DNA sequence: TCTGGGGTCCTAGGACCC
DNA sequence: TCTGGGGTCCTAGGACCC
């Protein structure tokens, strides 16, 4: 038996912790660059703000209905996420972090001793609310997909009473339900709400007469696979109670690392793109070292904005293989800049760029080689600079991100930095910065 | 005027091998 | 004029997730 624990409107709820006056008000948290609404309070949802809706489309609600928008504050959310996980982990033998605000719990080993799952779920919610102030919902099910569905039902039932025939809001257990009850819940749920069925597949299913989860569960497995995909077949089997998606409490290290940003303002000059990519590659390299890996290739991409119809469009990427896997910031940056030289074209208004580190492998893995002098190999390839990188990471951890960085990304005479991300509404990083601690007046 | 970032998995098709 | 069979690996693109 699995549980899925999921925070309600997570980013908004984090903001409310330190500004209780926001409770009851329509609030949204914006994506990077203050672009889209990516977390919405229930009041904002009620005003009709859609997930990922561009801010310029809903900002009129600011004046009309007192909608408040905040820039995202990932340091705060990341830290609250760790606290959430710490509490949740105490409730089950195994926990799998699924996203910043979601955790699967596996109760298989303690099935018998579990007792009433609904009351366990209520205890967990109350515990989290009391200790760290975050509202959550819990869904139980014999497979991950069913636990996700149970969570969806718990959330919807809490936000909109009467939307589902359930006894408790905030916790839903699909385990013990008799099939009549289960079918009633399935019938009331559109197929697009199922984990793994997105906005492409949902309309196709509906066109085929499969509108509710109940319709889906009654579809022939083989027909579904032929018509759609093996992925959808797996979802169907999960909905019928056969576990197909394994539980993984020790996730494998990432296979790729990406750092990309939309620019605050369009960038035209290659030198400014180079600055931005230097910073992105540096950040990617830090994350690479944090997971003790090395990259075998660097991919760079630059693109204009597809939303600006009047602009000439240009979008390209190039993958730069490295002589040998490395986690050295300078080597990765220089590969990224070489890549940029290959794809940069003058005359476009670039809106976004990014760096991906590919072919990751554990840093401990070292291909032995003959040390032949090679005229092609730049000096840095032949020197072990692990210690330098370690020192740099340590300094940045101690004095804050960016305390020590390559000069290539820093302000420079004659260069603007139009690529810097906008965040005009960011709240203080209450839990991670000494100089941004909240003040209590007595 | 203004539209996020960071991932994973699957499939099809091409290149290549013997 | 007539041109095999079986396999692997890589890449690009699409779909999905939060």
């Amino acid at each position: 038996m699995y549980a899925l624990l999921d925070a309600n409107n997570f980013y908004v709820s984090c903001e409310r912790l330190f500004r209780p006056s926001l409770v009851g008000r329509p609030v949204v948290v914006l994506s990077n660059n203050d672009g889209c609404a990516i977390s919405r309070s229930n009041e904002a949802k009620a005003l009709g703000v859609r997930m990922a809706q561009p801010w310029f489309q809903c900002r009129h609600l600011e004046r009309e209905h007192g909608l408040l928008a905040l820039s995202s504050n990932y340091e705060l959310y990341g830290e609250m996420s760790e606290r959430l996980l710490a509490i949740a982990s105490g409730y089950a033998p195994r926990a799998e972090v699924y996203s910043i605000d979601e955790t699967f719990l596996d109760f298989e080993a303690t099935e018998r001793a579990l007792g009433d799952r609904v009351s366990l779920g209520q205890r967990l919610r109350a515990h989290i609310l009391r200790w760290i102030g975050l509202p959550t919902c819990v869904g139980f099910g014999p497979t991950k997909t069913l636990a996700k569905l149970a969570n969806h039902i718990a959330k919807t039932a809490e936000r909109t009473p009467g939307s589902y025939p359930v006894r408790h809001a905030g916790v839903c257990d699909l385990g013990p339900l008799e099939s009549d009850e289960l079918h009633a819940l399935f019938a009331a749920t559109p197929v697009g709400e199922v984990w793994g069925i997105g906005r492409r597949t949902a309309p196709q299913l509906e066109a085929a007469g499969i509108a509710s989860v109940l319709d889906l569960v009654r579809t022939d497995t083989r027909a579904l696979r032929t018509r759609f995909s093996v992925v959808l077949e797996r979802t169907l089997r999960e909905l019928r109670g056969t576990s197909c998606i394994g539980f993984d409490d020790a996730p494998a290290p990432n296979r790729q690392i990406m750092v990309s940003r939309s620019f605050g303002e369009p960038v035209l000059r290659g030198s400014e793109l180079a600055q931005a990519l230097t910073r992105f590659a540096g950040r990617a390299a830090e994350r690479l070292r944090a997971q003790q890996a090395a990259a075998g290739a660097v991919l760079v991409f630059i693109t204009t904005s597809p939303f600006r119809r009047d602009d000439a469009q240009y979008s390209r990427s190039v993958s730069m293989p490295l002589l040998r896997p490395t986690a050295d910031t300078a080597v990765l940056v220089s590969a990224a800049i070489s890549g940029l030289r290959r794809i940069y074209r003058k005359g476009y208004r670039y809106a976004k760029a990014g760096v991906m580190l590919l072919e990751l492998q554990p840093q401990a893995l070292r291909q032995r080689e003959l040390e032949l002098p090679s005229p092609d190999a730049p000096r840095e390839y032949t020197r072990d600079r692990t210690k330098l990188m370690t020192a740099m990471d340590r300094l940045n951890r101690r004095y804050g991100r960016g305390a020590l960085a390559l000069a290539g990304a820093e302000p420079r005479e004659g260069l603007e930095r139009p690529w810097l991300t906008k965040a005009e509404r960011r709240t203080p990083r209450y839990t991670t910065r000494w100089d941004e601690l909240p003040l209590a007046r007595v």
Side-chain angles (χ1 to χ4, degrees):
Chain A
M1 182 60 60
Y2 296 126
L4 179 70
L5 169 73
D6 187 342
N8 304 350
N9 317 330
F10 181 59
Y11 297 168
V12 167
S13 297
C14 289
E15 297 290 349
R16 281 175 166 172
L17 291 175
F18 291 90
R19 286 175 70 181
S21 63
L22 300 185
V23 175
R25 277 190 61 181
V27 180
V28 295
V29 170
L30 302 176
S31 62
N32 261 338
N33 246 351
D34 296 343
C36 302
I38 50 169
S39 179
R40 306 157 294 154
S41 71
N42 289 346
E43 298 78 9
K45 288 176 189 170
L47 286 179
V49 180
R50 285 172 287 112
M51 184 59 184
Q53 189 171 15
W55 173 234
F56 72 88
Q57 285 177 8
C58 42
R59 74 178 307 165
H60 61 95
L61 298 168
E62 234 178 344
R63 282 227 325 264
E64 293 162 20
H65 292 94
L67 175 65
L68 178 72
L70 299 168
S71 303
S72 32
N73 184 348
Y74 287 105
E75 275 193 39
L76 175 63
Y77 314 148
E79 226 254 340
M80 293 315 300
S81 173
E82 285 173 23
R83 298 186 191 191
L84 187 71
L85 177 65
I87 297 174
S89 304
Y91 277 72
R94 298 202 299 161
E96 176 187 336
V97 176
Y98 178 62
S99 76
I100 193 165
D101 75 324
E102 283 173 78
T103 299
F104 283 106
L105 300 173
D106 175 12
F107 292 99
E108 202 189 323
T110 52
E111 201 75 73
R112 294 241 172 78
L114 206 54
D116 175 27
R117 283 188 292 261
V118 170
S119 65
L120 177 81
Q122 300 288 18
R123 281 208 307 281
L124 175 56
R125 297 179 71 210
H127 187 165
I128 292 169
L129 190 64
R130 193 167 63 245
W131 280 30
I132 60 173
L134 290 175
T136 54
C137 285
V138 183
F140 290 93
T143 66
K144 281 181 158 181
T145 304
L146 284 169
K148 284 281 281 185
L149 190 65
N151 191 283
H152 166 77
I153 292 170
K155 260 193 178 161
T156 311
E158 193 186 43
R159 189 169 67 238
T160 319
S163 54
Y164 277 106
V166 291
R167 282 184 288 275
H168 321 274
V171 179
C172 174
D173 181 7
L174 291 182
L177 292 180
E178 297 304 317
S179 80
D180 281 354
E181 285 177 79
L182 196 60
H183 283 182
L185 293 175
F186 281 178
T189 308
V191 81
E193 300 294 345
V194 174
W195 188 40
I197 299 177
R199 27 162 224 275
R200 299 284 179 194
T201 311
Q204 291 176 33
L205 284 168
E206 281 157 26
I210 304 170
S212 71
V213 178
L214 187 60
D215 297 333
L216 181 59
V217 167
R218 288 176 168 165
T219 306
D220 176 62
T221 318
R222 196 174 300 168
L224 196 75
R225 176 176 187 155
T226 314
R227 176 105 187 249
F228 293 91
S229 67
V230 58
V231 184
L232 195 56
E233 182 195 357
R234 203 157 53 202
T235 298
L236 173 55
R237 291 183 186 277
E238 282 250 321
L239 284 172
R240 289 186 181 151
T242 306
S243 221
C244 304
I245 304 171
F247 195 89
D248 193 0
D249 55 352
N254 291 345
R255 300 164 55 90
Q256 59 181 53
I257 289 174
M258 171 156 81
V259 175
S260 72
R261 290 287 179 278
S262 296
F263 301 138
E265 286 164 36
V267 171
L268 285 90
R269 301 165 70 182
S271 49
E272 289 165 355
L273 285 175
Q275 269 200 322
L277 287 168
T278 298
R279 174 166 296 187
F280 300 165
R283 180 73 193 114
E286 274 175 27
R287 281 165 43 190
L288 183 67
R289 294 191 292 269
Q291 71 171 46
Q292 267 132 63
V298 179
L299 181 140
V300 187
F301 70 86
I302 52 178
T303 180
T304 52
S305 169
F307 298 110
R308 301 176 73 107
R309 295 285 177 77
D310 299 339
D311 282 7
Q313 297 292 314
Y314 179 75
S315 181
R316 257 191 90 180
S317 68
V318 61
S319 171
M320 307 291 289
L322 297 167
L323 199 58
R324 58 178 73 88
T326 182
D328 186 323
T329 291
V331 178
L332 295 166
V333 165
S334 100
I337 301 302
S338 313
L340 174 65
R341 290 211 183 92
R342 295 253 293 265
I343 58 177
Y344 174 71
R345 296 285 175 275
K346 255 176 99 162
Y348 295 99
R349 296 162 59 79
Y350 293 98
K352 181 177 181 176
V355 169
M356 282 166 99
L357 305 183
L358 309 170
E359 294 169 34
L360 307 194
Q361 54 162 267
Q363 207 162 25
L365 224 57
R366 269 290 139 77
Q367 173 69 48
R368 304 307 298 263
E369 53 193 83
L370 276 175
E371 292 188 18
L372 299 176
S374 156
D376 311 331
R379 270 170 62 87
E380 60 261 43
Y381 281 112
T382 60
R383 268 194 319 220
D384 181 8
R385 307 209 305 175
T386 314
K387 283 182 181 166
L388 177 60
M389 292 300 118
T390 307
M392 192 159 107
D393 291 338
R394 207 174 283 160
L395 284 167
N396 282 328
R397 266 199 305 277
R398 177 151 174 194
Y399 296 105
R401 183 177 299 163
L404 189 62
L406 289 196
E410 297 309 299
R412 192 159 11 133
E413 188 88 9
L415 271 194
E416 299 292 318
R417 295 198 293 174
W419 45 272
L420 283 176
T421 302
K422 273 188 218 152
E424 287 160 1
R425 304 151 171 269
R426 210 201 68 236
T427 51
R429 291 163 286 197
Y430 302 103
T431 63
T432 48
R433 303 277 172 140
W434 288 113
D435 50 353
E436 297 181 20
L437 283 182
L439 292 178
R441 295 198 175 78
V442 280

